[in-house]
């Protein structure tokens, strides 16, 4: 049986890094506040998407005990060389999802906005998409209330 090599994994990370990436967030379901389910591998969309923002940063990273990229149970450092690990950071603006409760996140590859939207727009409601793209990673999170006067950022490290 063939295996995916380390260089092959870095090639996958490079391919993903080269296409448009967006982080979508959604309401999920209110009952997740007491009984959050596991994320399904078969998911192709969020349960109740609110909107999505273009990813601010996509960079290679490598596991490192004193690295600045801190994920649950692991630390990573940026790498100038391609690796099998891709650090993705998205910073939502003050008014994005204002008043909403966020329970789910999804990294999408290849999302395409509809024609005719303002130049430079980086946050999109679901109806503003011509193609939602492919769901690469999904995470159900502890509920976050979106209030006035706060930016919020999310980091993912995706390992290929």
């Amino acid at each position: 049986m063939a295996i995916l090599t380390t260089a092959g994994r870095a090639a996958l990370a490079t391919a993903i890094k080269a296409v448009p990436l967006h982080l979508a967030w959604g309401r999920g379901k209110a009952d997740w506040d007491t009984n959050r389910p596991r994320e399904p591998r078969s998911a192709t969309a969020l349960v109740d998407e609110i909107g999505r923002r273009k990813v601010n940063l996509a960079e290679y990273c490598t596991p490192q005990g004193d690295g600045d990229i801190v994920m649950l149970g692991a630390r990573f450092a940026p790498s100038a060389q391609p690796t099998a690990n891709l650090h993705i950071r998205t910073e939502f603006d003050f008014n994005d999802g204002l008043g909403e409760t966020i329970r789910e996140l999804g990294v999408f590859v290849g999302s395409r906005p509809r024609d005719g939207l303002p130049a430079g727009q980086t946050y999109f409601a679901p109806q503003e998409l011509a193609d939602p793209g492919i769901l690469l990673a999904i995470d159900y999170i502890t509920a976050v209330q979106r209030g006035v006067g706060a930016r919020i950022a999310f980091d993912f490290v995706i390992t290929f």
Side-chain angles (χ1 to χ4, degrees):
M1 176 192 310
I3 63 163
L4 189 57
T5 65
T6 300
R9 293 174 191 276
L12 287 174
T14 299
I16 294 297
K17 185 177 182 284
V19 297
L21 297 170
H22 290 83
L23 181 67
W25 58 6
R27 296 172 195 90
K29 295 183 178 181
D31 67 346
W32 293 359
D33 293 346
T34 55
N35 188 22
R36 188 169 62 229
R38 290 184 57 97
E39 299 85 351
R41 286 185 186 269
S42 60
T44 58
L46 297 184
V47 170
D48 190 6
E49 182 175 338
I50 296 164
R52 62 182 67 194
R53 179 164 283 286
K54 183 178 178 188
V55 166
N56 297 86
L57 172 70
E59 65 181 346
Y60 303 110
C61 62
T62 186
Q64 185 172 316
D66 62 349
D68 293 333
I69 304 164
V70 180
M71 303 306 296
L72 189 61
R75 296 176 79 99
F76 297 83
S79 172
Q81 301 303 314
T83 70
N85 303 299
L86 198 57
H87 171 224
I88 296 170
R89 180 175 183 82
T90 306
E91 298 170 357
F92 286 89
D93 210 350
F94 293 106
N95 292 324
D96 296 346
L98 192 60
E100 297 284 359
T101 301
I102 311 303
R103 296 182 184 90
E104 57 180 340
L105 303 169
V107 177
F108 283 83
V109 177
S111 298
R112 191 170 47 82
R114 292 191 182 281
D115 292 335
L117 296 175
Q121 181 175 338
T122 58
Y123 183 79
F124 305 95
Q127 65 272 19
E128 294 178 308
L129 298 172
D131 182 351
I134 298 169
L135 180 60
L136 177 67
I138 189 167
D139 191 15
Y140 296 160
I141 63 171
T142 302
V144 175
Q145 302 293 321
R146 287 292 293 143
V148 176
R151 283 192 167 138
I152 188 169
F154 294 99
D155 291 275
F156 280 81
V157 172
I158 300 174
T159 300
F160 296 89

